[in-house]
Amino acid sequence: MLNALFSPKSIAVIGASNRPLTIGYRIIQNLKEFGYKGAVYPVHPKDLEINGLKAYPSILNVPGAIDLAHIVVKNTMVPVIMEECGQKGVKVVIINTAGFKEIGGEGIELEKKIGELGQKYNLRIFGPNCQGIINTDENVRAYANFTFARPQPGYISILAQSGGVGEVVHQRLVDLGVGTRMYASNGNAADISIPEILNYWAGDEKTKVIILHIESLANPLEFMKAARKVTRHKPILGMKTGRTELGARAVVSHTGSLMKADTAVEAIFDKCGIISFRNQEDLCQAAIAFVSQPVPAGPNVGIITNTGGPGIIATDECIEAGLNLPDLSEETKKNLKANLFAEASVSNPLDVLATAGPKEYAAALEALLKDPNIDSLMVNFITPFFIDCQGVAQEMARLSQNTKKTIVSVIMTDKKNNQPVLQTIKESGIPVYDLPETAALALSALVKYGEYQKRPAEKPPVFPDVDKAAVQQIINEAKKSNREILSAEEVFKLLNAYKIPLVKSVFIPVPISSGKDASDIQTVAKKVGYPVVLKLDSPEVIHKTEQGGVILGIENEKQLKNEFKIFRKKFIGKNAKFMVQSYLSGGQEVIIGASAVPDLGHLILFGLGGIFVEVLNDVAFRVAPLTEHEARGMIQSIKGYRILKGTRGQPGVELNKLTEIVLRLSQLVTDHPRIKELDLNPVMAGAEYALVVDARIKLRPSKNFLTVSS
Amino acid sequence: MLNALFSPKSIAVIGASNRPLTIGYRIIQNLKEFGYKGAVYPVHPKDLEINGLKAYPSILNVPGAIDLAHIVVKNTMVPVIMEECGQKGVKVVIINTAGFKEIGGEGIELEKKIGELGQKYNLRIFGPNCQGIINTDENVRAYANFTFARPQPGYISILAQSGGVGEVVHQRLVDLGVGTRMYASNGNAADISIPEILNYWAGDEKTKVIILHIESLANPLEFMKAARKVTRHKPILGMKTGRTELGARAVVSHTGSLMKADTAVEAIFDKCGIISFRNQEDLCQAAIAFVSQPVPAGPNVGIITNTGGPGIIATDECIEAGLNLPDLSEETKKNLKANLFAEASVSNPLDVLATAGPKEYAAALEALLKDPNIDSLMVNFITPFFIDCQGVAQEMARLSQNTKKTIVSVIMTDKKNNQPVLQTIKESGIPVYDLPETAALALSALVKYGEYQKRPAEKPPVFPDVDKAAVQQIINEAKKSNREILSAEEVFKLLNAYKIPLVKSVFIPVPISSGKDASDIQTVAKKVGYPVVLKLDSPEVIHKTEQGGVILGIENEKQLKNEFKIFRKKFIGKNAKFMVQSYLSGGQEVIIGASAVPDLGHLILFGLGGIFVEVLNDVAFRVAPLTEHEARGMIQSIKGYRILKGTRGQPGVELNKLTEIVLRLSQLVTDHPRIKELDLNPVMAGAEYALVVDARIKLRPSKNFLTVSS
């Protein structure tokens, strides 16, 4: 448990200083200014007093027990100090000092060393190279940190990998007048990790929502385990920074090249039910709504407004954020017509008119809160001088107490003169926004969290009819012959073993040089049935289409003979074999793939083939193993989904069969972590079928592997 | 000139009142509180004093001359008051009273009446049903308005069609601590219009940027004329609200159905060089940068930061906003290495480290401002307590005075304790943002304005080789026979007259019932050359593909005979004729169209065919007549442009020929405003050709037109 870190009874500062521009001074100053409730022990080799507090020459001289010690001495001195802390029985250290793993070389050694010392003394480490923590709890008031944000107590906790981003987000919440609960930025994370802090905050009753900033995940599996548990009952709002694409990577598959710098983290966020943001402002504004409002039952929003223009903006923004504006029920309309001004526009958005006062606003809120069509309410109120605005605020506050529906408000007013109005609404728990745009964003985040919570608690399916051993054997054989790329024949056998349906295909098991191949291929083509496809199978030719290794739509024996002659000339000496496939015309091209991610497992990719992938990058990624809900969700999430469903008179495709391929592929790569990259490309899908036409598999290299081709 | 409106020497308030919750009280109160420099004359039938000012029973009793009169009496009383104002020689009235055009019926009559009175007395009208104006000029201080925003003097003027939106934007700027210049929301706009106000503000030296809110344009041509002139030397930041799609419209063409509620306004904004925003917050934040910063010479941004995380966000956001982060020049790098800390990351973004003080910030700014690769600078500064932050601010302020490059800053700090730092930077003219996201947005708006300003001042081309009379004749003939839809033969003739290139096509001029058609069609097919396309031409069948009226890829005479038999059976009695076309396989499908917009002319559409249009809605619209720059720009603006340019080994298409078709089409519809909707769909484009394969034209109905089919 991290009580000693977040709620320490006493704090020592080793490296305390009387010079105001040092961290050793600043931390003590921050603890004092913030009103820390425990004892503070400055440690300094010579000074007898630091910033008005009695100082000690060593932590071993401190009389009382110490929960938490800040270490701000030079990096090379840290191990010695750690020893002393261990001997003193300190429970946790915050090492603010930099100069560890992040500088490489001796820094790495130094970080290893302090890790060992921590284990030796059962002394937990926060940092090194970190800011520290803040806890605003009235009984703690720990500002064990050298930053500048000065928060009021609240219910939002902030966990940031980048101290800079954490501080900016924290300050923004302060500027917005929103309290926070705990703050942590743990730098190099030598010991206490992000998952551990998430777990701890899951149990902190006053943390109602967690803001999380990530640059990269050290241990994705541990992170996922923690985050998935937390989000079941507590929202995490996440932001990944560093989204620009990595430099070109040498990848053999589409799936690999379609992954961006943030693809894995975004997929992990989705799997964990973490609501993802791309902007610090949006993140902060949404967090406010999570503190005090329930999660809406669904996406249906009712909008109340007393002015047309902002009501239109509210409508635009809700719809563009994926929310619905349903019609009001007949009863609601009747009710409203009886209680609003005759000129009011009784629809959704509901314009109660500028002349609406407390009575009309109350009638509007009451009616919409009762309407079964409505899950949440956005109340827009521009404060006319001729209206009892405080009365309107009081009615909003009153009605918000007796509902389980979500309410957010947009109060457009002169803040200086109308502070009481804003205060009344805020104190009722209704979030107050300046603009309808922001309120719509917050509502849509709440709705998204509701959707995450409603996801079925199913497990990834396990198809019992697969032949795991057969696949293992193929992989082992490749390993024996030091190959990373499987031959087409191996790929097809492997897919067959997992009952991933293939287009009718026959391999000619003899190499092109044998002479026997020409007659063989004709026999096979007859068996497959014209029209056929003639396809190269050579480990030396990866992009066979581009190199003329795929001849589509061969109609008869004569044509086959001709094509084969050209083939033989072109590919002889390339360790080339051939296959003959049934030629499918029509249908929709789909790409399904998998790509291994270090320390995570595999990402599964789904997209439409051709220009959708190549020009529009219209693909979805999910973390394997997938549940059926996830597989269907990823198929539905691409822009081209309308084509799969069928559009403008074109029939749709067999989505169940596509879903099954995705799930079997997910099981395949999960069972066989040695698969590094896998492309089913294309899969042809029609109204009644979904068949793999071509596929590539690359294995992970092992120490003994040589790269044969790439 | 609108001097009497925006800088009135005296203001009368007719309908003034001593009851605080009336507009007649509020306006006088606002004028007093805001420190209006002129004379205020309350007019009230009985009261001798209003809010401490001498009141008059009628405006005719007021001793002095009156520039501006507010009218806040009952709507039916307004004409009488207007008469009096006219007799008194008032120059302009603000009619705050509602109950005119917006209520329909008698309101329309009333508005017409006051318009006539205005003309009779040369009395200009602002409103009715409006808020009024504000001018913060120290010599005027006119708050001729009943709203609540209390602005400081500044350089941003706000013109809003929706008073609600205008007020919210105004208040937001006040909350952001940003001054404004003038404000106007002119309600029903019976006389003084948005274009007139734009023209007036163009000449107001202290208006450096105009914020414009639009719901719909009353007179688009007049608006365009004014706005295009203004944006040449003064930026307009525009926002159109009401973006949700109109209910389904009965349209015959793709072009029509692809238009959304805001398509025309967005196209008008683009044509005028108005920077378009979808969010009030973004609009306000961007306006701040326009007030004090020059327009960057190009999109190349240099980022300076003293903390990693926010630097990463700055990078992500700049790149996603379409800006470039170029490499620094070798000289700059050398320079920086000599002047920054050894551990600083000398690249773009430039991380000067948290320990960087005034000297290092100055070195970084100086170097980047000198670097020819850099057009603008984003300076990120999180204020460390151990740094002379005020010194950093002073260096930024100093260096900003001697450069023509654009600088924006992100100052991440505790605002309470670091107010002087913020003040120093703001006073230098560098905009200060809280977040890198916002600074990137502002920079990208500045860059966009620069691009607009750099557009060549060319005119739409006029092709001299067109046969205008031939087209007029076709249109006249259709009119005579009461047809809105032209036959395929007419359409092809019409396109031919404008030298829009068509695929080889021959019409069979006899109807299907004649018996002679079968042999005719075979002769024609031989002439066109197999493979051919057999295509129906019937005014009764609009969507002929869906109804089996297009048979592609007919290879020989036998096949043609068979297909024709089926055709005849199917379409006999449908007033059907036929055409035979050469069959083009390969190439890229493109759709080019035009759609008439009331009071504007035509919008031209460009998009890729098939799923790009139908599923992805990947189309661009521009206002005709197009310049060549606009035509090329619209082609380049669609997502599928990469396909037209050529991608993954696929050759691109003849863009010059496509551009010419767009321009000829633009000329065609501009010459012939009777064309309501026109689709060239598909146009087939290959490496060396661009040919229209099919086209539809619908004419505008006239009074005497009957709709034959739709």
Side-chain angles (χ1 to χ4, degrees), chain B residues 645-664:
Chain B
K645 265 201 323 185
T647 178
R648 270 188 60 97
Q650 299 290 318
V653 308
E654 232 298 16
L655 291 171
N656 290 327
K657 290 200 171 147
L658 274 181
T659 307
E660 189 177 327
I661 294 179
V662 170
L663 289 170
R664 284 182 181 271

Side-chain angles (χ1 to χ4, degrees), chain B residues 69-98:
Chain B
H70 272 277
I71 301 181
V72 293
V73 301
K74 199 170 176 306
N75 61 345
T76 48
M77 290 290 293
V78 172
V80 179
I81 299 296
M82 287 275 294
E83 290 274 8
E84 290 182 6
C85 287
Q87 286 156 22
K88 173 70 185 169
V90 171
K91 291 179 184 156
V92 57
V93 289
I94 293 177
I95 304 177
N96 299 100
T97 308

